Amino acid sequence: EVQLQASGGGLVQAGGSLRLSCEASGFTYHDYAIAWFRQAPGKEREGVSCISKKDGSTSYTDSVKGRFTISSDNARDTVYLQMNSLKPEDTAVYYCASNQIGFCRFNTNWFASWGQGTQVTVSS
């Protein structure tokens, strides 16, 4: 069973930075994909970024391009989301999710396993 543990959220002022971590375990195969989604109050969960271990590709939603960077520590099966130049509209609960298909899509149905979420709050 795949388990994901998200951490690193917190309260930060606009323009600040945070780094989220997603520690994964239980993969049967190592050609997996891990994505970050976020959900603000009253809004649908949206895909933020994704990394594919299958082909090494990364993807970002338009609103975070140039500000967020996703990376992985292969030895530890941990994925990071470095978030810079944070804006109040980035405030949300951030979830990491994984699939063993190995490819990325910003579609919640594409991911079978989910972490518990970590709160990111950006003050103006």
Side-chain angles (χ1 to χ4, degrees):
E1 179 186 1
V2 175
Q3 293 187 327
L4 304 172
Q5 180 72 38
S7 62
L11 172 64
V12 65
Q13 289 188 331
S17 299
L18 284 173
R19 189 178 80 157
L20 305 183
S21 299
C22 178
E23 295 185 43
S25 62
F27 287 116
T28 303
Y29 305 104
H30 282 270
D31 284 346
Y32 55 81
I34 289 184
W36 287 97
F37 286 77
R38 65 186 180 187
Q39 189 165 21
K43 295 189 176 181
E44 292 187 354
R45 193 169 295 190
E46 66 167 344
V48 176
S49 184
C50 186
I51 186 165
S52 166
K53 297 296 292 290
K54 194 173 185 69
D55 63 9
S57 63
T58 59
S59 53
Y60 300 90
T61 193
D62 286 345
S63 63
V64 308
K65 285 180 181 176
R67 300 188 298 122
F68 291 10
T69 303
I70 193 168
S71 62
S72 66
D73 180 338
N74 295 335
R76 299 175 59 186
D77 281 339
T78 299
V79 169
Y80 303 100
L81 185 68
Q82 178 67 42
M83 306 186 297
N84 298 328
S85 302
L86 282 161
K87 304 175 181 180
E89 51 263 44
D90 294 317
T91 295
V93 178
Y94 284 68
Y95 300 89
C96 60
S98 72
N99 69 48
Q100 295 225 247
I101 301 170
F103 294 108
C104 289
R105 295 287 188 275
F106 286 151
N107 182 330
T108 56
N109 294 326
W110 203 254
F111 296 89
S113 301
W114 292 79
Q116 82 287 6
T118 184
Q119 176 71 48
V120 171
T121 303
V122 184
S123 63
S124 57

